[in-house]
């Protein structure tokens, strides 16, 4: 739990501005007293990646939710986190961790659609993990 002004901050979604880009649907923590806003700690990395990506693309507006969805489709995210020498099993395990973290956030926001999406993603990842484990065993 994050605290500010002695009160616990409220989890919600909001629009943040990064340089010239508005980023919508970002999971945030809001202080009910002073209205300070910070990016939810579980999505800080994803937010940073998206913010950089949007800025380098000079996009005036992006949607964190769509990004998370796009991420389930893999390309952008894998480009960001993968290096060539990494063990594919390790990558899958990292992605599972990441998806589980996001699922915690989605549950907190009672965002059914996002939760479903992440669950599908986790199914795909666990199948992949299984395949990689079998391949390593032979
Ligand atoms: Zn405060």
């Amino acid at each position: 739990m994050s605290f500010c002004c002695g009160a616990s901050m409220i989890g919600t979604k909001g629009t943040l501005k990064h340089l010239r880009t508005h980023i919508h649907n970002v999971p945030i923590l809001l202080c009910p007293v002073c209205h300070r806003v910070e990016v939810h700690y579980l999505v800080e990395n994803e937010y940073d990646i998206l913010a950089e990506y949007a800025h380098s693309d000079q996009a005036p507006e992006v949607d964190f939710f769509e990004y998370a969805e796009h991420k389930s489709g893999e390309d952008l995210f894998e480009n960001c986190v993968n290096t060539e020498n990494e063990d594919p099993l390790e990558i899958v395990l990292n992605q599972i961790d990441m998806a589980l973290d996001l699922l915690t956030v989605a549950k907190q926001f009672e965002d059914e659609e996002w939760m479903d999406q992440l669950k599908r993603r986790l199914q795909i990842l666990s199948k992949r993990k299984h395949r990689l484990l079998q391949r390593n065993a032979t």
Side-chain angles (χ1 to χ4, degrees):
M1 255 296 130
S2 293
F3 293 92
C4 177
C5 302
S8 63
M9 296 178 85
I10 300 165
T12 184
K13 273 188 213 174
T15 298
L16 298 179
K17 197 162 182 255
H18 173 76
L19 303 169
R20 281 188 304 278
T21 305
H22 285 94
I23 304 173
H24 302 296
N25 288 322
V26 182
I28 53 171
L29 293 169
L30 172 71
C31 172
V33 180
C34 69
H35 299 130
R36 187 165 72 91
V37 161
E38 56 184 53
V39 176
H40 196 288
Y41 54 93
L42 287 179
V43 297
E44 269 174 350
N45 286 339
E46 284 79 9
Y47 175 80
D48 286 347
I49 293 169
L50 177 62
E52 282 312 311
Y53 171 78
H55 179 60
S56 66
D57 224 28
Q58 299 194 318
E61 284 186 287
V62 288
D63 191 303
F64 188 88
F65 183 82
E66 273 172 27
Y67 166 71
E69 186 176 52
H70 186 84
K71 215 173 75 168
S72 316
E74 279 169 55
D75 297 326
L76 170 66
F77 185 65
E78 284 196 340
N79 286 343
C80 292
V81 296
N82 288 2
T83 60
E84 298 206 344
N85 298 324
E86 244 177 310
D87 178 3
L89 181 61
E90 209 147 288
I91 293 166
V92 171
L93 292 176
N94 278 337
Q95 286 172 332
I96 289 173
D97 277 354
M98 204 78 89
L100 285 171
D101 282 352
L102 285 173
L103 190 59
T104 310
V105 179
K107 271 186 193 147
Q108 230 165 327
F109 297 135
E110 293 169 4
D111 190 330
E112 303 276 340
E113 210 182 328
W114 194 10
M115 277 161 65
D116 284 348
Q117 217 171 62
L118 287 165
K119 283 177 191 161
R120 274 201 300 277
R121 166 100 173 132
L122 280 164
Q123 279 172 359
I124 294 167
L125 286 171
S126 81
K127 271 184 205 147
R128 195 177 304 162
K129 177 179 125 189
H130 209 74
R131 268 207 313 274
L132 287 166
L133 284 172
Q134 279 174 336
R135 196 199 292 167
N136 285 357
T138 52

